[in-house]
Amino acid sequence: MNKGIYPENTKQLLTKVPEITIYFWIIKLLSTAMGEATSDYLVFHINQYLAVILGTVGFIAALILQFKVKHYIPWVYWFTICMVSIFGTMAADVAHIVLLIPYWLSAVVFFLALMIIFRMWFKLENTLSIHSIYTKRRELFYWAAVLATFAMGTATGDLTAETFHMGFLASGIMFAILFAIPGLCFWLLGANEIAMFWIAYIFTRPLGASFADWIGKEPSTSGLGYGTGIVSVILTIIIVIFVGYLSVTHKDVQEKTKVATEKSNKLKTE
Protein backbone atom coordinates (compact mmCIF):
# COMPACT_ATOMS: atom_id res chain seq x y z
CA MET A 1 0.00 0.00 0.00
CA ASN A 2 1.43 3.34 -1.04
CA LYS A 3 0.46 5.92 1.59
CA GLY A 4 2.24 8.71 -0.20
CA ILE A 5 -0.48 9.30 -2.77
CA TYR A 6 -3.12 10.00 -0.07
CA PRO A 7 -3.28 12.80 2.50
CA GLU A 8 -2.04 11.74 5.92
CA ASN A 9 -4.95 13.55 7.57
CA THR A 10 -7.64 12.07 5.35
CA LYS A 11 -10.03 11.89 8.33
CA GLN A 12 -9.89 15.66 8.73
CA LEU A 13 -11.10 16.11 5.16
CA LEU A 14 -14.38 14.38 5.90
CA THR A 15 -16.72 17.32 6.40
CA LYS A 16 -19.68 16.74 8.70
CA VAL A 17 -22.27 19.02 7.09
CA PRO A 18 -24.01 19.12 3.69
CA GLU A 19 -23.30 21.32 0.73
CA ILE A 20 -25.49 24.43 0.59
CA THR A 21 -27.95 23.68 -2.18
CA ILE A 22 -31.64 24.35 -2.72
CA TYR A 23 -32.28 21.02 -0.98
CA PHE A 24 -30.50 22.30 2.13
CA TRP A 25 -32.80 25.31 2.43
CA ILE A 26 -35.94 23.31 1.67
CA ILE A 27 -35.24 20.66 4.31
CA LYS A 28 -34.06 23.31 6.79
CA LEU A 29 -37.36 25.19 6.47
CA LEU A 30 -39.35 21.97 6.67
CA SER A 31 -37.44 20.86 9.77
CA THR A 32 -38.02 24.18 11.55
CA ALA A 33 -41.74 23.95 10.86
CA MET A 34 -41.83 20.29 11.90
CA GLY A 35 -39.98 21.02 15.13
CA GLU A 36 -42.44 23.76 16.05
CA ALA A 37 -45.48 21.60 15.33
CA THR A 38 -44.06 18.51 17.06
CA SER A 39 -43.03 20.43 20.17
CA ASP A 40 -46.46 22.05 20.46
CA TYR A 41 -48.23 18.74 19.96
CA LEU A 42 -46.17 16.92 22.60
CA VAL A 43 -46.43 19.69 25.18
CA PHE A 44 -50.20 20.02 24.86
CA HIS A 45 -51.14 16.35 24.38
CA ILE A 46 -49.00 14.56 26.95
CA ASN A 47 -47.53 15.48 30.32
CA GLN A 48 -45.48 18.65 29.81
CA TYR A 49 -42.56 17.42 31.90
CA LEU A 50 -42.51 14.11 30.04
CA ALA A 51 -42.57 16.01 26.73
CA VAL A 52 -39.53 18.07 27.73
CA ILE A 53 -37.71 14.95 28.94
CA LEU A 54 -38.43 13.16 25.63
CA GLY A 55 -37.27 16.20 23.67
CA THR A 56 -34.07 16.43 25.72
CA VAL A 57 -33.29 12.71 25.38
CA GLY A 58 -33.90 12.83 21.63
CA PHE A 59 -31.68 15.90 21.32
CA ILE A 60 -28.79 14.33 23.26
CA ALA A 61 -29.09 11.00 21.43
CA ALA A 62 -29.06 12.73 18.04
CA LEU A 63 -25.97 14.77 18.92
CA ILE A 64 -24.12 11.69 20.15
CA LEU A 65 -24.92 9.93 16.88
CA GLN A 66 -23.88 12.94 14.79
CA PHE A 67 -20.55 13.28 16.59
CA LYS A 68 -19.92 9.56 16.35
CA VAL A 69 -20.11 9.31 12.55
CA LYS A 70 -16.95 10.16 10.63
CA HIS A 71 -18.45 12.12 7.75
CA TYR A 72 -21.68 13.68 6.55
CA ILE A 73 -24.54 11.18 6.43
CA PRO A 74 -27.83 12.77 5.31
CA TRP A 75 -30.24 10.97 7.61
CA VAL A 76 -27.99 11.40 10.66
CA TYR A 77 -27.44 15.10 10.03
CA TRP A 78 -31.08 15.92 9.35
CA PHE A 79 -32.30 13.76 12.22
CA THR A 80 -30.05 15.85 14.46
CA ILE A 81 -31.41 19.08 12.96
CA CYS A 82 -34.97 17.91 13.61
CA MET A 83 -34.16 17.03 17.22
CA VAL A 84 -32.45 20.39 17.70
CA SER A 85 -35.56 22.03 16.26
CA ILE A 86 -37.84 20.28 18.73
CA PHE A 87 -35.53 20.86 21.70
CA GLY A 88 -34.85 24.50 20.74
CA THR A 89 -38.58 25.16 20.55
CA MET A 90 -39.11 23.61 23.96
CA ALA A 91 -36.22 25.61 25.44
CA ALA A 92 -37.72 28.90 24.28
CA ASP A 93 -41.23 27.90 25.38
CA VAL A 94 -40.06 26.78 28.82
CA ALA A 95 -38.27 30.10 29.27
CA HIS A 96 -41.53 31.93 28.56
CA ILE A 97 -44.23 29.67 30.02
CA VAL A 98 -42.44 28.21 33.06
CA LEU A 99 -39.89 30.89 33.90
CA LEU A 100 -42.21 33.73 32.77
CA ILE A 101 -39.45 35.38 30.74
CA PRO A 102 -40.90 37.73 28.09
CA TYR A 103 -40.33 36.70 24.47
CA TRP A 104 -38.36 39.88 23.76
CA LEU A 105 -35.95 39.13 26.60
CA SER A 106 -35.55 35.49 25.51
CA ALA A 107 -34.82 36.64 21.97
CA VAL A 108 -32.20 39.10 23.22
CA VAL A 109 -30.56 36.53 25.54
CA PHE A 110 -30.37 33.87 22.82
CA PHE A 111 -29.07 36.48 20.35
CA LEU A 112 -26.28 37.46 22.75
CA ALA A 113 -25.49 33.78 23.29
CA LEU A 114 -25.23 33.31 19.53
CA MET A 115 -22.93 36.33 19.19
CA ILE A 116 -20.68 34.95 21.96
CA ILE A 117 -20.54 31.57 20.20
CA PHE A 118 -19.64 33.22 16.90
CA ARG A 119 -17.02 35.37 18.59
CA MET A 120 -15.33 32.41 20.30
CA TRP A 121 -15.59 30.28 17.16
CA PHE A 122 -13.94 32.91 14.97
CA LYS A 123 -11.30 33.76 17.57
CA LEU A 124 -10.19 30.14 17.89
CA GLU A 125 -10.72 28.94 14.32
CA ASN A 126 -10.49 32.14 12.23
CA THR A 127 -13.54 31.06 10.22
CA LEU A 128 -17.30 30.60 10.54
CA SER A 129 -17.63 28.76 7.25
CA ILE A 130 -19.98 25.81 7.07
CA HIS A 131 -17.53 24.31 4.57
CA SER A 132 -14.87 23.94 7.25
CA ILE A 133 -16.66 21.66 9.73
CA TYR A 134 -14.14 18.83 9.79
CA THR A 135 -12.75 18.96 13.35
CA LYS A 136 -14.50 18.17 16.63
CA ARG A 137 -14.06 21.67 18.01
CA ARG A 138 -15.54 23.29 14.91
CA GLU A 139 -18.40 20.83 15.01
CA LEU A 140 -19.07 21.73 18.63
CA PHE A 141 -19.19 25.42 17.74
CA TYR A 142 -21.41 24.69 14.75
CA TRP A 143 -24.05 22.81 16.73
CA ALA A 144 -23.95 25.34 19.57
CA ALA A 145 -24.66 28.06 17.00
CA VAL A 146 -27.42 26.00 15.40
CA LEU A 147 -29.11 25.44 18.77
CA ALA A 148 -28.91 29.14 19.62
CA THR A 149 -30.47 30.10 16.27
CA PHE A 150 -33.36 27.70 16.83
CA ALA A 151 -34.09 28.98 20.34
CA MET A 152 -33.73 32.62 19.31
CA GLY A 153 -35.86 32.10 16.22
CA THR A 154 -38.64 30.48 18.24
CA ALA A 155 -38.74 33.38 20.69
CA THR A 156 -38.61 35.93 17.85
CA GLY A 157 -41.44 34.29 15.91
CA ASP A 158 -43.67 34.14 19.01
CA LEU A 159 -42.72 37.75 19.80
CA THR A 160 -43.96 39.08 16.46
CA ALA A 161 -47.02 36.82 16.22
CA GLU A 162 -48.26 37.09 19.79
CA THR A 163 -46.65 39.99 21.66
CA PHE A 164 -46.79 42.34 18.66
CA HIS A 165 -50.16 40.84 17.59
CA MET A 166 -49.11 40.40 13.98
CA GLY A 167 -50.53 36.89 13.77
CA PHE A 168 -48.80 33.85 12.31
CA LEU A 169 -49.40 34.55 8.61
CA ALA A 170 -48.21 38.15 8.68
CA SER A 171 -45.17 37.10 10.72
CA GLY A 172 -44.41 34.32 8.22
CA ILE A 173 -44.60 36.71 5.28
CA MET A 174 -42.34 39.22 7.04
CA PHE A 175 -39.76 36.55 7.86
CA ALA A 176 -39.92 35.22 4.28
CA ILE A 177 -38.90 38.66 3.05
CA LEU A 178 -36.13 38.91 5.66
CA PHE A 179 -34.95 35.41 4.70
CA ALA A 180 -34.70 36.41 1.01
CA ILE A 181 -32.72 39.60 1.61
CA PRO A 182 -29.32 37.96 2.46
CA GLY A 183 -29.51 35.82 -0.68
CA LEU A 184 -30.24 38.87 -2.83
CA CYS A 185 -27.40 40.79 -1.17
CA PHE A 186 -25.02 37.93 -1.93
CA TRP A 187 -26.08 37.37 -5.54
CA LEU A 188 -26.64 40.98 -6.56
CA LEU A 189 -24.21 42.93 -4.39
CA GLY A 190 -21.51 40.37 -3.69
CA ALA A 191 -21.98 40.54 0.08
CA ASN A 192 -19.90 38.26 2.30
CA GLU A 193 -21.04 34.68 1.69
CA ILE A 194 -20.52 33.43 5.25
CA ALA A 195 -22.29 36.39 6.86
CA MET A 196 -25.23 36.14 4.45
CA PHE A 197 -25.51 32.40 5.05
CA TRP A 198 -25.81 32.77 8.81
CA ILE A 199 -28.26 35.67 8.58
CA ALA A 200 -30.49 33.64 6.26
CA TYR A 201 -30.05 30.59 8.50
CA ILE A 202 -31.26 32.55 11.53
CA PHE A 203 -34.44 33.64 9.72
CA THR A 204 -35.35 30.10 8.65
CA ARG A 205 -36.43 29.32 12.20
CA PRO A 206 -39.14 31.98 12.70
CA LEU A 207 -40.13 31.61 9.04
CA GLY A 208 -40.81 27.88 9.22
CA ALA A 209 -42.32 28.07 12.70
CA SER A 210 -44.70 30.90 11.78
CA PHE A 211 -46.20 28.99 8.86
CA ALA A 212 -46.40 25.78 10.91
CA ASP A 213 -48.33 27.65 13.60
CA TRP A 214 -50.54 29.33 11.00
CA ILE A 215 -51.56 25.98 9.51
CA GLY A 216 -51.76 23.98 12.72
CA LYS A 217 -53.06 26.22 15.49
CA GLU A 218 -56.64 27.21 16.21
CA PRO A 219 -58.39 30.12 14.44
CA SER A 220 -58.69 31.85 17.83
CA THR A 221 -54.91 32.27 17.75
CA SER A 222 -54.83 33.34 14.05
CA GLY A 223 -54.24 29.80 12.75
CA LEU A 224 -56.16 27.64 10.28
CA GLY A 225 -56.85 24.93 12.84
CA TYR A 226 -55.66 21.80 11.00
CA GLY A 227 -53.88 20.54 14.10
CA THR A 228 -50.23 20.47 15.12
CA GLY A 229 -50.19 16.66 15.05
CA ILE A 230 -51.29 16.51 11.41
CA VAL A 231 -48.79 19.20 10.44
CA SER A 232 -46.00 17.36 12.24
CA VAL A 233 -46.74 14.02 10.53
CA ILE A 234 -47.05 15.51 7.03
CA LEU A 235 -43.86 17.52 7.36
CA THR A 236 -41.98 14.51 8.73
CA ILE A 237 -43.03 12.43 5.71
CA ILE A 238 -41.89 15.15 3.29
CA ILE A 239 -38.56 15.47 5.10
CA VAL A 240 -38.01 11.70 4.94
CA ILE A 241 -38.67 11.76 1.19
CA PHE A 242 -36.17 14.57 0.59
CA VAL A 243 -33.51 13.03 2.82
CA GLY A 244 -34.01 9.64 1.17
CA TYR A 245 -33.52 11.27 -2.23
CA LEU A 246 -30.29 12.93 -1.10
CA SER A 247 -29.04 9.68 0.44
CA VAL A 248 -29.36 8.01 -2.96
CA THR A 249 -28.21 10.83 -5.23
CA HIS A 250 -25.54 12.43 -2.96
CA LYS A 251 -26.41 15.81 -4.45
CA ASP A 252 -25.63 17.59 -1.20
CA VAL A 253 -22.26 15.99 -0.43
CA GLN A 254 -19.39 18.48 -0.41
CA GLU A 255 -16.79 17.68 -3.06
CA LYS A 256 -13.84 17.17 -0.73
CA THR A 257 -15.96 14.83 1.34
CA LYS A 258 -16.60 12.77 -1.79
CA VAL A 259 -12.90 12.68 -2.63
CA ALA A 260 -11.80 11.84 0.91
CA THR A 261 -14.44 9.13 1.26
CA GLU A 262 -13.39 7.53 -2.02
CA LYS A 263 -9.73 7.58 -0.96
CA SER A 264 -10.58 6.20 2.48
CA ASN A 265 -12.55 3.35 0.92
CA LYS A 266 -9.70 2.65 -1.48
CA LEU A 267 -7.22 2.49 1.39
CA LYS A 268 -9.38 -0.11 3.12
CA THR A 269 -9.35 -2.37 0.07
CA GLU A 270 -5.60 -2.24 -0.51
Side-chain angles (χ1 to χ4, degrees):
M1 180 176 62
N2 185 2
K3 295 183 179 181
I5 62 175
Y6 304 117
E8 292 182 3
N9 58 343
T10 298
K11 289 178 66 177
Q12 285 194 333
L13 295 176
L14 300 177
T15 52
K16 299 292 293 291
V17 297
E19 184 61 86
I20 309 304
T21 66
I22 185 62
Y23 301 106
F24 176 90
W25 294 114
I26 290 173
I27 303 176
K28 178 61 171 63
L29 288 168
L30 290 171
S31 66
T32 62
M34 187 279 290
E36 177 76 14
T38 302
S39 175
D40 287 343
Y41 180 81
L42 292 175
V43 168
F44 289 105
H45 288 82
I46 66 174
N47 181 277
Q48 293 182 350
Y49 295 101
L50 177 59
V52 172
I53 291 173
L54 290 175
T56 303
V57 170
F59 166 68
I60 294 173
L63 277 182
I64 291 174
L65 181 60
Q66 170 65 22
F67 278 99
K68 186 176 180 180
V69 299
K70 301 301 182 182
H71 59 88
Y72 166 66
I73 299 174
W75 77 265
V76 174
Y77 175 86
W78 288 111
F79 172 69
T80 306
I81 287 291
C82 288
M83 291 301 102
V84 171
S85 179
I86 295 171
F87 179 77
T89 301
M90 289 181 173
D93 288 343
V94 165
H96 178 72
I97 297 172
V98 178
L99 302 179
L100 302 179
I101 299 175
Y103 283 128
W104 70 265
L105 182 56
S106 294
V108 170
V109 170
F110 287 126
F111 173 77
L112 292 176
L114 180 61
M115 292 302 101
I116 292 172
I117 292 168
F118 279 152
R119 173 63 178 170
M120 293 176 61
W121 184 356
F122 189 79
K123 183 177 181 180
L124 292 174
E125 301 293 340
N126 200 35
T127 181
L128 299 178
S129 175
I130 192 174
H131 297 103
S132 66
I133 311 300
Y134 49 76
T135 67
K136 290 297 183 184
R137 187 165 69 179
R138 291 183 182 185
E139 193 174 9
L140 283 168
F141 278 124
Y142 174 76
W143 287 107
V146 168
L147 178 59
T149 64
F150 273 96
M152 182 184 73
T154 299
T156 304
D158 290 336
L159 175 68
T160 59
E162 298 180 19
T163 305
F164 294 165
H165 305 292
M166 291 179 60
F168 299 123
L169 179 58
S171 292
I173 293 173
M174 179 187 71
F175 287 119
I177 294 171
L178 293 174
F179 168 72
I181 289 175
L184 294 175
C185 289
F186 171 69
W187 289 109
L188 299 179
L189 303 177
N192 182 272
E193 179 180 8
I194 297 174
M196 294 305 100
F197 166 80
W198 282 112
I199 292 173
Y201 194 95
I202 289 169
F203 284 124
T204 59
R205 177 56 190 174
L207 170 56
S210 294
F211 279 106
D213 285 338
W214 175 57
I215 296 172
K217 291 193 173 181
E218 295 300 319
S220 59
T221 61
S222 78
L224 296 178
Y226 287 101
T228 54
I230 295 296
V231 173
S232 174
V233 170
I234 292 175
L235 290 173
T236 299
I237 293 172
I238 298 173
I239 291 170
V240 169
I241 292 172
F242 270 105
V243 173
Y245 172 75
L246 294 177
S247 298
V248 173
T249 63
H250 308 294
K251 287 183 177 293
D252 65 336
V253 177
Q254 294 188 34
E255 188 59 36
K256 65 180 178 181
T257 299
K258 291 180 182 178
V259 173
T261 302
E262 289 172 359
K263 289 180 177 180
S264 180
N265 291 336
K266 189 172 181 179
L267 279 170
K268 292 178 182 179
T269 61
E270 293 183 352

